[in-house]
Amino acid sequence: MTTSNAIPSVKLLINGEFVESRTSQWRDVVNPATQEVLARVPFATTEEMNAAVASAKEAFKTWRKTPIGARARIFLKYQQLIRENMKELAAILTAEQGKTLPDAEGDIFRGLEVVEHAANIGTLQMGELANNVAGGVDTYTLLQPLGVCAGITPFNFPAMIPLWMFPMAIATGNTFILKPSEQDPMVTMRLVELALEAGVPPGVLNVIHGGADAVNLLCDHPDIKAVSFVGSTKVGTHVYNRATLNGKRAQCMMGAKNHAIVLPDANKQQTLNNLAGAAFGAAGQRCMALSVVILVGEAQAWLPELVEKAKSLKIGAGVEPGADVGPVISCAALDRVSSLIATGEREGARLVLDGRNPEVSGYAQGNFVGPTIFDGVTAEMSIYREEVFGPVLCVMHAATMNEAIALINANPNGNGTALFTRSGAAARHFQEEIDVGQVGINVPIPVPVPLFSFTGSRASKLGDLGPYGKQVVQFYTQTKTVTQRWFDEDEVGGAVNTTITLK
């Protein structure tokens, strides 16, 4: 760990103030293309984390009663500030995470869409009313905020995932504790600064940093009512179990193994372009990455062209013009990806494109691994069973679409899947029979826009409600039902009613 005073420190945000942590435990934020130390991030003390929760609890008393229009206007301002600072945000994200600049802007933009959705909270948080459910009796519902909520976000989308969480939580009247990834918190903190500039009041949004202790505190703290998590299956399962055991709501979006089926009638060039982009973009470090392609029938002959397409992608630092594949996040991540590639070879998969140890001029210390393709992969192999989280594509073969569907449905994960075809009948059969939460038809990464909700399923998700969209309004609110009757001043009272029936 570097401790030089010349290296800036990442601050905590408590009660509207950016404060220096008093911790003795720090971690370096490292540029994955150069190994340059960009900043130091603290592992907040228990006292600091408790202070953040206390600040949020106090702010909730007034924020929950803030007019819904006032809340919406903050997010109208916020989305404009994000647009105005897009280039700066993308540069920060690229430096600390490694994505190419276009990919970094895409990361921010998909979060921006949720901010825009939060600005429409006036219509999203409306209740329902039934008139005259009995004689002179009306019933209506109120969607009221829960209180203090928390979010734990991963390294691979340090802009998008925080923007999935705190804008909708705050827009619905809650206050929020955000714990970004300790590997790349800088762009998150810049987004938080812009949120305060947009008008988020002190205490409504707070930020802590740390590792397992911070995660556990958010799951255990009695004043926190709901926890949202995106990340690995191991940590997500721990968060869900611990949070729900403590009586909290929890939603956890976790690991995946996303498949695409390619039928012989698909548009070949469009399909190959989509496969390469979805498999190797963001260096494969996304839970919706396309990591398995199943070639059906005559489409099995397309493999050499897929390999050539992958070879044409440029490996380079995110700031390099024309770079398609940047570095993975850390040296440890590089070692893990390289180890899984070696394991794939040992277990009998045919390595038709080896991306290990690429030469990237000027970046000899970077965590680079290029597009890698295995053929002849089976469901028993480690390279298939484990989420590689790198630019590695497994190619499998099937005689029919039904055989391919059965293979996908046998996988424990259900995050995303896709079918490439020109046949409407095949597409409809696929969407009916596939047991996966997010389905693409000629769309390789079918993440829905915020008008809908992220709907991963099975082992890829714990909790009934997904992030953003209509579902997350339900997650961040509790329904209060009011049944009311008003009597006229001159109305004569009836007999004593000892039943609960309304007439």
Side-chain angles (χ1 to χ4, degrees):
M1 181 194 72
T2 303
T3 57
S4 169
N5 290 332
I7 299 171
S9 59
V10 179
K11 305 298 189 290
L12 307 171
L13 174 62
I14 301 175
N15 198 30
E17 298 291 334
F18 292 97
V19 297
E20 189 80 50
S21 176
R22 296 182 179 181
T23 186
S24 60
Q25 186 178 0
W26 297 79
R27 174 174 177 149
D28 290 341
V29 179
V30 178
N31 184 321
T34 65
Q35 307 308 318
E36 175 192 1
V37 177
L38 303 174
R40 299 186 307 138
V41 59
F43 280 37
T45 67
T46 300
E47 292 75 17
E48 289 165 342
M49 292 188 285
N50 284 332
V53 178
S55 170
K57 182 180 180 181
E58 182 64 25
F60 179 67
K61 295 176 183 178
T62 52
W63 180 247
R64 66 187 295 267
K65 297 180 180 179
T66 301
I68 202 164
R71 285 184 257 143
R73 283 189 289 274
I74 288 173
F75 291 100
L76 282 172
K77 176 65 173 175
Y78 189 35
Q79 63 87 24
Q80 183 62 34
L81 289 172
I82 293 174
R83 290 181 183 279
E84 291 172 356
N85 292 274
M86 180 71 76
K87 296 297 183 183
E88 177 202 359
L89 291 164
I92 296 170
L93 197 159
T94 293
E96 64 178 344
Q97 204 278 339
K99 289 184 179 181
T100 65
L101 286 170
D103 219 355
E105 289 196 19
D107 184 332
I108 298 159
F109 182 78
R110 289 310 301 266
L112 173 62
E113 291 180 318
V114 178
V115 176
E116 293 172 337
H117 200 56
N120 192 38
I121 195 63
T123 57
L124 294 172
Q125 203 173 344
M126 291 192 299
E128 299 174 316
L129 183 145
N131 184 233
N132 285 325
V133 295
V137 178
D138 304 324
T139 296
Y140 58 92
T141 59
L142 307 173
L143 299 182
Q144 297 188 320
L146 301 174
V148 182
C149 300
I152 302 162
T153 63
F155 75 84
N156 58 327
F157 283 90
M160 182 183 79
I161 303 298
L163 292 176
W164 278 12
M165 293 183 183
F166 74 79
M168 291 304 294
I170 291 172
T172 49
N174 300 282
T175 55
F176 204 79
I177 311 294
L178 177 65
K179 195 211 84 66
S181 170
E182 65 276 16
Q183 297 189 73
D184 49 6
M186 295 168 63
V187 70
T188 307
M189 295 307 296
R190 182 66 182 122
L191 285 166
V192 168
E193 289 176 1
L194 294 176
L196 298 191
E197 185 179 338
V200 173
V204 171
L205 175 61
N206 302 270
V207 183
I208 63 172
H209 303 288
D213 288 345
V215 170
N216 289 339
L217 183 139
L218 296 178
C219 293
D220 295 345
H221 201 292
D223 291 331
I224 293 176
K225 306 303 181 184
V227 178
S228 182
F229 170 88
V230 176
S232 71
T233 296
K234 180 180 179 181
V235 178
T237 302
H238 169 78
V239 167
Y240 185 82
N241 290 338
R242 190 156 183 160
T244 54
L245 185 65
N246 284 303
K248 307 182 194 309
R249 294 186 183 183
Q251 55 173 203
C252 296
M253 308 299 119
M254 306 184 300
K257 201 71 178 182
N258 305 309
H259 304 71
I261 298 175
V262 179
L263 299 186
D265 70 338
N267 183 307
K268 181 186 285 189
Q269 290 309 313
Q270 289 291 341
T271 299
L272 293 176
N273 287 340
N274 277 296
L275 294 177
F280 308 123
Q285 297 177 118
R286 47 191 175 196
C287 67
M288 289 296 293
L290 185 60
S291 53
V292 183
V293 58
I294 306 173
L295 302 177
V296 176
E298 295 174 1
Q300 296 175 39
W302 297 6
L303 179 59
E305 292 167 272
L306 177 59
V307 172
E308 290 305 310
K309 180 67 66 176
K311 286 181 178 179
S312 72
L313 299 178
K314 179 181 177 180
I315 308 163
V319 294
E320 292 292 300
D324 298 302
V325 181
V328 295
I329 186 68
S330 66
C331 295
L334 177 62
D335 290 344
R336 182 179 182 277
V337 173
S338 300
S339 176
L340 279 168
I341 294 172
T343 300
E345 285 188 289
R346 288 197 303 272
E347 293 182 351
R350 187 165 67 93
L351 187 59
V352 294
L353 180 62
D354 188 351
R356 288 173 292 184
N357 304 313
E359 292 186 12
V360 181
S361 178
Y363 296 93
Q365 302 301 313
N367 306 321
F368 293 101
V369 57
T372 298
I373 300 177
F374 279 103
D375 188 29
V377 175
T378 67
E380 295 75 28
M381 293 178 177
S382 300
I383 202 74
Y384 176 79
R385 289 186 291 105
E386 296 191 34
E387 187 174 21
V388 180
F389 233 60
V392 178
L393 178 64
C394 296
V395 178
M396 306 177 83
H397 300 265
T400 66
M401 182 173 70
N402 282 336
E403 180 184 331
I405 289 173
L407 193 155
I408 296 171
N409 286 347
N411 190 282
N413 296 294
N415 215 32
T417 188
L419 173 71
F420 291 90
T421 183
R422 285 189 174 99
S423 168
R428 193 173 194 289
H429 178 74
F430 176 72
Q431 72 180 39
E432 288 290 313
E433 298 300 323
I434 204 71
D435 185 17
V436 174
Q438 295 169 122
V439 177
I441 307 297
N442 298 314
V443 175
I445 302 179
V447 177
V449 297
L451 295 173
F452 299 88
S453 297
F454 191 93
T455 53
S457 63
R458 294 194 278 144
S460 295
K461 175 185 177 182
L462 289 172
D464 296 331
L465 301 171
Y468 69 76
K470 295 178 181 178
Q471 290 187 12
V472 86
V473 175
Q474 294 176 274
F475 180 75
Y476 284 127
T477 61
Q478 53 192 343
T479 302
K480 179 182 290 183
T481 303
V482 180
T483 301
Q484 66 178 18
R485 169 185 281 162
W486 296 100
F487 298 101
D488 292 334
E489 291 295 329
D490 58 353
E491 186 172 343
V492 178
V496 174
N497 185 2
T498 60
T499 73
I500 61 170
T501 302
L502 294 174
K503 298 181 180 179

